[in-house]
């Protein structure tokens, strides 16, 4: 592929350079790419995760430690996100999910929420206009969450991006925004109820006797019914959940889907998360894989 | 041209002495039938060798063997690193339990209202270890413990020991059974709540069924809105009503071969700090003290604010 994650980060930091320096940097960059591909080939010998979820924690701390402006940390975080996306694509990871904005985050300082919303709108519009990254990885973008809570410009931009990438068959990139696992579960329950109600109404229309027993049968909801109505329906459960900056909470993220996910809490802040951290994460996953896979198979048998 | 048929299995195994007994390091990998598993590797191999990608060519076997060897060496190196850090960790735990490290001597457990323990179901069968763990926690002053394992082994082993039957409202105290003698000796009453996989997703499904039937009974003529507007508070009440309510643990200690929560009830896991403790068979008193100490030092952004507003 002509655009690699290393090149993306490199291009973002590019300043005016002399021709000699550019050649040297170009050679170094090619060497880096080659070494990276070798490392990926070695890693791919073992089991590779199909779905990785990221909780992108540490943007504000990153800005604070470097005395940057408040929004600058989130911008650096966005660059780290695109780089990680491209690295994951190179490694053959098919599904990436990120926790971009929690419903609880609306309780933050309004100016910060406003900055974040503006950043999201800007980045979504950037992706809509300049489709090089999306097209290279044939990315399908989903937005998981209660989109009605977003302000109109952001919601419309998100819906437009989802619609324009709906037909893509490559990497599936799901952005959880604004999202809560508990609100996802409640949403699924509401949808199952609505579905059952329609079924009941259509049966009631056909049969005028309206038995109470039918009500009982229709109100029995199973785990599989709820699974079908989660935002993540169609995606496999995450193999790895990575929360950066060393925090150990899940903060209401994918609680339903992470029964057998390997939870990892690397110390680097999200803008510092890079290829070597991703490699380390996958190596840790490969060591836990036999146990996780055994448990998943056992759970499937019991269903 | 010779070709390898069937699977070839390569295994390395050796024992290393350590402070916690012999540590067995075992590694094995299988060279499957010679179809290159990853398309990426196949394409790189053919590009590298300047040949079309045949399935059984010698260069691809050699590349596969080299990759396998490098992968195994990488994981062996990580195993050695882990062993080394495990030795240091064991030493630290020994120092903590012998009282030599002053900062761990006075634990302030004011913020720890509820502690959860998640155990791998196979390891949970060792009830002696679990009882020992509960004794330690009781002696440290932990007031409320949720025991969880996905298959319900802990529920079957420990629930009969509890005196008062489970009450459906959250936060009800019930006594400790006479079987757990050590806990009586510690003179501190500790509440033990036993959970299993059926309190997780299945519990949520039961609560959903309750909400659904209430919704149907309240609106039998179908004149209401298309989609019911349930809230998280409705769901929380429904969970309490079906017996899956309970306090949210502040800290969760995971005992098992790998770091995952194994389906701990979602409604009680939202803001819980999760600490991985390793296998139950090598549990250490000092490790628990360290985990509780680290928890007491943590600063949570907005969690307290969120909890009190919900």
């Amino acid at each position: 592929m002509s655009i690699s994650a290393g090149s993306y980060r490199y291009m973002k930091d590019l300043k005016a350079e002399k021709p000699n320096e550019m050649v040297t940097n170009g050679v170094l960059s090619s060497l880096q790419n080659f070494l990276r591909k070798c490392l990926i080939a070695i890693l791919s010998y073992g089991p590779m995760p199909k779905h990785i979820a990221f909780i992108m924690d540490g943007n504000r701390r990153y800005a604070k430690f470097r005395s940057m402006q408040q929004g600058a940390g989130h911008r650096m975080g966005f660059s780290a996100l695109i780089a990680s996306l491209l690295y994951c694509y190179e490694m053959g990871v098919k599904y990436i999910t990120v926790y971009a904005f929690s419903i609880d985050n609306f309780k933050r300082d309004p100016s910060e929420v406003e900055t974040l919303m503006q950043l999201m709108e800007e980045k979504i519009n950037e992706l809509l206009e300049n489709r090089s990254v999306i097209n290279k990885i044939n990315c399908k973008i989903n937005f998981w969450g209660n989109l009605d809570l977003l302000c109109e410009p952001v919601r419309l931009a998100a819906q437009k991006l989802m619609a324009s990438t709906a037909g893509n068959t490559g990497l599936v990139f799901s952005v959880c925004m604004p999202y809560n696992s508990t609100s996802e579960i409640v949403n699924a329950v509401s949808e199952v109820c609505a579905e059952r109600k329609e079924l009941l109404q259509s049966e009631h229309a056909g049969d005028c006797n309206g038995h109470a027993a039918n009500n009982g049968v229709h109100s029995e909801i199973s785990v599989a019914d709820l699974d079908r109505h989660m935002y993540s329906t169609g995606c496999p459960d995450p193999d790895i959940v990575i929360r950066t900056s060393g925090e150990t909470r899940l903060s209401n993220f994918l609680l339903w889907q992470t029964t057998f996910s390997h939870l990892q809490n690397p110390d680097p802040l999200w803008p510092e998360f890079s290829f070597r951290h991703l490699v380390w994460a996958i190596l840790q996953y490969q060591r836990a894989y036999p146990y996780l896979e055994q448990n998943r198979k056992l759970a499937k048998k019991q269903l | 041209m010779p070709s390898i048929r069937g699977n070839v299995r390569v295994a390395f195994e050796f024992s290393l002495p350590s402070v916690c007994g012999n540590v067995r390091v075992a590694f094995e990998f299988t060279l499957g039938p010679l179809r290159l598993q990853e398309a990426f590797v196949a394409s790189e191999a053919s590009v590298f060798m300047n040949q079309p990608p045949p399935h059984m060519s010698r260069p691809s076997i050699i590349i596969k063997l080299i990759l396998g060897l490098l992968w195994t060496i990488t994981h062996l190196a990580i195993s050695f690193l882990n062993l080394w850090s495990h030795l240091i960790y064991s030493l630290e735990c020994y120092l903590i339990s012998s009282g030599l490290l002053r900062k761990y001597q006075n634990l302030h457990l004011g913020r720890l209202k509820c502690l959860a323990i998640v155990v791998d179901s196979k390891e949970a069968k060792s009830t002696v270890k679990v009882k020992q763990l509960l004794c330690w926690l009781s002696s440290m002053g932990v007031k409320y413990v949720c025991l969880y394992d996905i298959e319900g082994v802990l529920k079957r082993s420990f629930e009969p020991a509890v005196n008062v039957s489970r009450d459906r409202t959250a936060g009800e105290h019930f006594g400790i059974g006479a079987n757990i003698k050590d806990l009586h000796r510690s003179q501190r009453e500790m509440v033990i709540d036993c959970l299993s996989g059926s309190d997780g997703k299945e519990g949520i499904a039961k609560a959903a069924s309750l909400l659904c039937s209430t919704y149907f009974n309240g609106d039998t003529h179908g004149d209401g809105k298309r989609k019911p507007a349930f809230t998280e508070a409705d769901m929380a009440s429904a969970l309490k009503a079906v017996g899956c309510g309970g306090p949210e643990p502040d800290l969760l200690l995971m005992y098992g071969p790998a770091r995952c929560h194994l389906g701990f009830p979602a409604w009680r896991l939202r803001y819980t700090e999760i600490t991985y403790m390793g296998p139950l068979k090598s549990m250490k008193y000092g490790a628990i003290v360290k985990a509780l100490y680290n928890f007491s030092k943590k600063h949570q952004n907005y969690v307290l604010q969120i909890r009190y507003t919900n």
Side-chain angles (χ1 to χ4, degrees):
Chain A
M1 43 187 274
S2 58
I3 180 166
S4 67
S7 314
Y8 180 84
R9 261 208 156 125
Y10 167 68
M11 284 184 322
K12 285 292 226 185
D13 300 334
L14 199 58
K15 294 173 189 165
E17 290 181 0
K18 295 178 189 168
N20 284 342
E21 280 178 19
M22 282 180 76
V23 167
T24 318
N25 284 334
V27 167
L28 277 172
S29 177
S30 301
L31 187 65
Q32 257 184 328
N33 282 349
F34 175 71
L35 286 172
R36 193 174 63 245
K37 289 198 170 162
C38 287
L39 195 53
I40 291 173
I42 297 169
L43 212 59
S44 301
Y45 185 83
M48 290 296 276
K50 292 181 195 60
H51 182 176
I52 302 182
F54 293 100
I55 302 177
M56 304 185 291
D57 199 2
N59 295 324
R60 291 185 299 167
R61 262 169 283 181
Y62 184 84
K64 196 175 166 189
F65 290 156
R66 283 159 182 74
S67 309
M68 291 157 87
Q69 271 186 338
Q70 200 183 58
H74 294 293
R75 283 181 187 277
M76 298 294 291
F78 182 78
S79 301
L81 171 62
I82 298 296
S84 297
L85 203 66
L86 294 169
Y87 291 138
C88 286
Y89 173 75
E90 282 189 47
M91 290 184 180
V93 179
K94 182 85 198 284
Y95 299 88
I96 310 273
T97 303
V98 294
Y99 201 7
F101 195 83
S102 164
I103 293 176
D104 297 329
N105 291 151
F106 279 119
K107 295 181 177 116
R108 283 187 182 176
D109 180 19
S111 64
E112 193 193 337
V113 175
E114 181 66 31
T115 313
L116 275 167
M117 290 294 135
Q118 280 172 358
L119 176 69
M120 282 193 217
E121 190 189 342
E122 183 193 316
K123 292 301 171 190
I124 294 172
N125 286 330
E126 232 177 68
L127 284 170
L128 277 166
E129 281 160 37
N130 176 13
R131 298 182 61 99
S132 59
V133 172
I134 294 178
N135 289 341
K136 288 300 173 190
I137 58 180
N138 199 14
C139 184
K140 179 180 176 183
I141 301 182
N142 293 325
F143 284 92
W144 292 352
N146 192 352
L147 294 176
D148 296 330
L149 294 174
L150 293 172
C151 54
E152 207 176 324
V154 184
R155 186 177 66 244
L156 289 174
Q159 284 167 343
K160 201 172 164 188
L161 189 59
M162 273 200 284
S164 72
T165 56
N168 292 350
T169 53
L171 185 134
V172 177
F173 177 42
S174 306
V175 182
C176 291
M177 168 187 107
Y179 176 88
N180 254 353
S181 192
T182 42
S183 116
E184 179 188 19
I185 294 171
V186 167
N187 180 65
V189 172
S190 304
E191 288 189 358
V192 174
C193 274
E195 193 185 67
R196 292 292 170 84
K197 191 177 176 188
E198 274 184 32
L199 197 65
L200 194 66
Q201 280 175 339
S202 60
E203 281 184 7
H204 189 75
D207 171 16
C208 298
N209 289 336
H211 303 290
N214 275 345
N215 265 356
V217 166
H218 284 302
S219 68
E220 278 293 315
I221 295 177
S222 69
V223 170
D225 292 325
L226 291 173
D227 268 329
R228 278 187 295 112
H229 289 274
M230 291 287 165
Y231 299 134
S232 57
T233 189
C235 282
D237 286 344
D239 293 300
I240 313 177
V241 177
I242 299 176
R243 180 171 185 153
T244 50
S245 73
E247 297 292 337
T248 58
R249 306 181 291 281
L250 282 174
S251 292
N252 218 338
F253 180 59
L254 300 181
L255 301 174
W256 179 270
Q257 295 88 342
T258 48
T259 303
F260 299 115
S261 305
H262 194 235
L263 307 175
Q264 298 183 11
N265 310 97
D267 287 328
L269 305 173
W270 176 250
E272 297 164 349
F273 192 80
S274 64
F275 180 68
R276 60 189 174 93
H277 301 114
L278 191 59
V279 167
W280 185 250
I282 293 176
L283 284 167
Q284 297 299 313
Y285 166 75
Q286 288 180 340
R287 300 174 74 75
Y289 177 79
Y291 171 73
L292 297 173
E293 191 60 16
Q294 190 185 46
N295 270 310
R296 269 191 214 117
K297 285 188 179 154
L298 205 67
K300 266 190 195 156
K301 265 190 202 167
Q302 284 169 354
L303 278 173
Chain B
M1 185 180 280
S3 64
I4 299 172
R5 291 170 196 254
N7 293 345
V8 174
R9 212 158 171 191
V10 182
F12 303 97
E13 194 177 302
F14 47 88
S15 273
L16 291 167
S18 74
V19 290
C20 40
N22 279 344
V23 174
R24 187 176 140 262
V25 179
F27 227 85
E28 61 180 48
F29 62 89
T30 306
L31 293 176
L34 291 168
R35 289 172 273 108
L36 288 172
Q37 289 158 9
E38 304 293 325
F40 173 81
V41 176
S43 63
E44 285 299 285
S46 63
V47 164
F48 185 71
M49 299 308 299
N50 244 357
Q51 284 172 8
H55 286 305
M56 300 285 231
S57 70
R58 199 173 281 173
S60 60
I61 300 172
I62 294 171
I63 286 171
K64 183 109 179 165
L65 274 171
I66 292 172
L67 287 175
L69 195 63
L70 289 170
W71 183 82
T72 310
I73 290 170
T74 309
H75 277 283
L76 272 173
I78 296 173
S79 297
F80 277 117
L81 274 171
N82 283 350
L83 188 65
W84 179 245
S85 57
H86 182 77
L87 287 173
I88 296 173
Y89 181 68
S90 301
L91 183 65
E92 191 184 2
C93 292
Y94 173 73
L95 290 173
I96 292 170
S97 37
S98 58
L100 290 169
L101 293 175
R102 277 203 189 153
K103 70 176 181 177
Y104 295 106
Q105 276 176 11
N106 293 318
L107 276 181
H108 298 288
L109 297 181
R111 276 183 56 213
L112 186 70
K113 305 275 182 303
C114 174
L115 176 72
I117 308 278
V118 170
V119 189
D120 170 56
S121 295
K122 278 194 189 140
E123 295 192 357
K125 287 173 185 165
S126 155
T127 46
V128 172
K129 283 280 180 186
V130 180
K131 281 180 188 170
Q132 173 78 74
L133 178 63
L134 291 171
C135 285
W136 285 346
L137 291 171
S138 179
S139 69
M140 286 180 208
V142 177
K143 297 287 177 216
Y144 195 118
V145 173
C146 291
L147 286 177
Y148 173 87
D149 80 286
I150 195 166
E151 287 174 22
V153 171
L154 291 170
K155 222 181 209 178
R156 287 191 292 273
S157 313
F158 287 90
E159 240 183 9
V162 171
N163 270 341
V164 179
S165 61
R166 181 189 290 270
D167 195 287
R168 289 191 165 186
T169 55
E172 275 278 332
H173 283 64
F174 43 91
I176 301 159
N179 292 351
I180 311 179
K181 290 175 191 163
D182 292 338
L183 285 162
H184 270 302
R185 268 192 240 132
S186 74
Q187 298 293 320
R188 294 181 204 188
E189 192 171 298
M190 185 171 78
V191 177
I192 300 174
D193 195 0
C194 293
L195 304 172
S196 70
S198 59
D199 298 299
K201 284 187 180 179
E202 287 172 34
I204 289 175
K206 273 188 235 166
S209 304
L210 178 66
L211 280 177
C212 200
S213 62
T214 317
Y215 174 66
F216 284 161
N217 292 336
D219 193 1
T220 45
H221 295 290
D223 291 337
K225 292 176 231 173
R226 195 196 160 264
K227 187 173 155 181
F230 295 131
T231 61
E232 290 182 37
D234 294 332
M235 194 67 194
S237 319
L239 281 166
K240 252 186 228 177
V242 299
C244 296
E248 283 187 49
D250 303 288
L251 176 63
L252 186 146
L253 302 180
M254 253 192 295
Y255 284 97
R259 191 192 184 111
C260 54
H261 64 72
L262 299 174
F264 191 84
W267 233 260
R268 300 169 73 169
L269 192 60
R270 295 180 299 169
Y271 305 104
T272 308
E273 301 283 346
I274 301 172
T275 304
Y276 178 59
M277 307 294 285
L280 188 69
K281 60 178 185 262
S282 55
M283 68 179 193
K284 295 173 186 56
Y285 181 83
I288 301 172
V289 172
K290 187 174 179 185
L292 293 177
Y293 175 81
N294 288 341
F295 169 77
S296 65
K297 291 287 161 205
K298 241 181 199 230
H299 168 67
Q300 289 198 42
N301 270 341
Y302 304 108
V303 172
L304 290 170
Q305 183 188 339
I306 288 161
R307 277 227 183 123
Y308 292 127
T309 52
N310 271 356

